[in-house]
Amino acid sequence: MGYFQPLIFFVLAAFPFMFISPSHSSLDHENVKNLPPAKHVGNVNLSLYYETLCPGCAYFITSDLVKVFQTDLYTIVNLRLIPWGNAKIVGDKIRCQHGDDECYLNAIHSCVIHLWPDVKTHFRFIHCTEEQSLEGPVGSKEAMWKNCSDKLGFRGDMINKCYSTGLGMKLLRRYGNETARLIPPHEYVPWVVVNHTPLRGDFEKFVKYVCDYYQGDPKPEACAKQSSSVSSTSTKIATEIHPGCYAEQT
Ligand SMILES: *[C@@H]1O[C@H](CO)[C@@H](O)[C@H](O)[C@H]1NC(C)=O
Ligand SMILES: *[C@@H]1O[C@H](CO)[C@@H](O)[C@H](O)[C@H]1NC(C)=O
Ligand SMILES: *[C@@H]1O[C@H](CO)[C@@H](O)[C@H](O)[C@H]1NC(C)=O
C-alpha cells in the first residue's frame, strides 16, 4: 500500500534509532497533558467512535479513513479516534461487545493514542491492528498488536506498561464517558461525527462533509477529487460484507 512505502523506507534508513520514542517525556503524565495533538483554527473536527473488533470499523478505518493520510486531507482535519463503541459499564467492569479481547485491544489503542498523541503517528498503529483483525482471530491477546508495534517501531514495552499499570483501562473509561456524552447518542459503530454532526449512514462520504465544512481557501486537492469517490453500489456491497455493529446487539 502506497501509504506505507515511505514508512518502510524510513524504518530501514533509521534502523539504529528505529524505536519511535514518544518525545522524551511522554510517559511523564504532566508533560503529556501539555502536548495535545495539534489543533489548527479553522480545521474541521472529524471524530470516529469505534470498537476494535467490529469488522465494519476495521473496514472503514483501513479502506476509507486511511485516505485522510494518503491525501492532503489531513492538513484541514483534526482527526480523533475514540475506541469505546458499544462497550458498557456493568457493575464496575467494562463489558465489550466482542468480549474481553476487545476491551483489551480498545485499552491498547487508548494507550497508543496517549503515548503518541500525534494522530499521524498513532493512526499507523491503529490501521495496522485493524487490518490484522480483519484477517481473523490470533493465538494470544498480545498477538493482536505485537506484530504491528514491531513492524512500525512502536515500543511494545511502553504499551505493555501503560496497560499493566491500569492506565489503559482508565483512559478507556474516559472514552466511555465521552461516548456517553454524544448528542445525539450513537446508534452503531463506526459512528462518524464532523463538527458535532453525526454522518449516520453517510459515514463513508466523510470527505465530502469535511470539504463542505471547511471554510478556508484554497481547499486541499483531496476536496477537488472527492466527487469521484465511492459509488453507492460499492459502498453498499462493502457494508454488506463488513456490517457495522449496533448498540442493541450487545
Ligand atoms: C506475526 O509475525 C510472525 C513472523 O513474521 C508471523 O509468523 C505471524 O503469522 C504474524 N502474526 C500475525 C497475527 O499476523
Ligand atoms: C466517568 O464518569 C463517571 C460519572 O460521571 C465518573 O464518576 C468517572 O470518574 C468518569 N471516569 C473517567 C475516567 O473520567
Ligand atoms: C473542534 O474541536 C475543538 C477542540 O475540541 C473545539 O474547541 C472546537 O470548537 C471544535 N470546532 C468545531 C467547529 O466544532
Side-chain angles (χ1 to χ4, degrees):
M1 194 177 274
Y3 171 57
F4 291 106
Q5 293 300 334
L7 176 73
I8 289 161
F9 173 78
F10 169 79
V11 168
L12 293 176
F15 187 76
F17 314 101
M18 85 180 256
F19 293 109
I20 300 171
S21 285
S23 50
H24 276 329
S25 40
S26 282
L27 264 187
D28 172 345
H29 297 180
E30 298 283 278
N31 282 325
V32 166
K33 278 187 204 120
N34 296 332
L35 287 172
K39 287 197 172 51
H40 303 285
V41 178
N43 274 12
V44 178
N45 293 340
L46 170 64
S47 302
L48 171 66
Y49 295 79
Y50 72 107
E51 57 197 22
T52 50
L53 297 184
C54 171
C57 296
Y59 188 76
F60 174 69
I61 289 169
T62 56
S63 303
D64 296 308
L65 197 58
V66 66
K67 289 176 195 153
V68 169
F69 302 105
Q70 287 170 335
T71 66
D72 55 356
L73 198 68
Y74 72 90
T75 60
I76 63 159
V77 161
N78 297 329
L79 174 64
R80 289 194 68 234
L81 298 152
I82 299 103
W84 175 268
N86 299 318
K88 287 186 161 52
I89 306 279
V90 179
D92 63 351
K93 286 208 69 184
I94 301 174
R95 183 174 297 166
C96 294
Q97 189 162 30
H98 302 90
D100 288 347
D101 281 358
E102 181 167 73
C103 287
Y104 172 75
L105 193 56
N106 287 351
I108 295 293
H109 278 200
S110 305
C111 284
V112 169
I113 293 167
H114 173 75
L115 292 167
W116 291 274
D118 178 5
V119 66
K120 265 164 99 177
T121 306
H122 64 240
F123 186 80
R124 295 204 307 257
F125 177 94
I126 287 167
H127 180 280
C128 177
T129 55
E130 289 299 278
E131 195 165 56
Q132 189 180 296
S133 79
L134 284 173
E135 286 159 18
V138 291
S140 70
K141 279 181 160 189
E142 226 181 47
M144 295 192 289
W145 59 272
K146 200 70 176 65
N147 273 14
C148 290
S149 60
D150 288 350
K151 185 167 72 175
L152 300 173
F154 287 72
R155 280 184 49 187
D157 60 330
M158 293 177 64
I159 298 170
N160 269 324
K161 185 178 169 197
C162 169
Y163 183 79
S164 65
T165 56
L167 177 59
M169 282 297 179
K170 194 174 148 200
L171 295 165
L172 183 56
R173 279 173 189 267
R174 217 177 276 169
Y175 286 128
N177 281 6
E178 183 175 343
T179 304
R181 285 196 301 268
L182 267 174
I183 304 170
H186 77 285
E187 292 160 25
Y188 49 82
V189 288
W191 190 255
V192 178
V193 177
V194 175
N195 281 3
H196 303 294
T197 304
L199 303 194
R200 301 179 179 277
D202 254 4
F203 64 90
E204 279 153 318
K205 301 190 189 116
F206 73 92
V207 179
K208 176 177 164 26
Y209 285 84
V210 165
C211 292
D212 286 353
Y213 273 102
Y214 185 61
Q215 298 294 315
D217 190 42
K219 295 201 181 199
E221 271 179 46
C223 291
K225 287 184 184 143
Q226 60 87 26
S227 50
S228 60
S229 66
V230 257
S231 75
S232 52
T233 326
S234 70
T235 299
K236 191 153 169 281
I237 291 165
T239 315
E240 276 164 17
I241 300 172
H242 305 282
C245 298
Y246 282 81
E248 306 82 59
Q249 289 173 353
T250 316

